[in-house]
Amino acid sequence: MGRIFDISIKQGIAISTLFGDTEPTALPHQGWQIETHSAAGIDYALLTAIESAAEFPLHADENAWFGYVVAGAGELLLGDQDSVTESVTYQAGDVIVFQPDTFHGWKVASSETKLLFAKPTC
């Protein structure tokens, strides 16, 4: 993901704590990997998919998430736990806000895709 700076206050002065790069973790869906971090009460994750990645199946989370498409393009799949009922295209620069319990999945177009997500730490 790159470097992570956690800016905080120590003895009334703003300071920076640098977290090192982490190695991504492979996901069970071919071609997908994830990096996760927590800082300042925020959990975030960077999903990366190679251009030939398998479709990321429908899934949901009990939390709301804020998403930003860092790179790439494809289809955001929407539906219920059993089937896709709709899809929308996404591209670099798009912002996607997921309400709690919304089933969604991902299809990657013809380039590497990077999706950054954030939510308050529970």
Side-chain angles (χ1 to χ4, degrees), residues 27-68:
L27 293 172
H29 318 299
Q30 182 267 322
W32 289 88
Q33 56 187 14
I34 190 168
E35 295 176 62
T36 59
H37 303 280
S38 292
I42 299 171
D43 293 338
Y44 51 101
L46 179 68
L47 277 178
T48 302
I50 60 174
E51 64 183 75
S52 61
E55 181 178 304
F56 199 108
L58 291 171
H59 60 284
D61 190 272
E62 63 188 19
N63 299 293
W65 285 84
F66 173 90
Y68 177 73

Side-chain angles (χ1 to χ4, degrees), residues 47-90:
L47 277 178
T48 302
I50 60 174
E51 64 183 75
S52 61
E55 181 178 304
F56 199 108
L58 291 171
H59 60 284
D61 190 272
E62 63 188 19
N63 299 293
W65 285 84
F66 173 90
Y68 177 73
V69 182
V70 177
E75 284 184 78
L76 171 58
L77 310 173
L78 305 170
D80 58 28
Q81 74 182 61
D82 298 318
S83 61
V84 173
T85 57
E86 180 181 350
S87 70
V88 293
T89 58
Y90 65 85

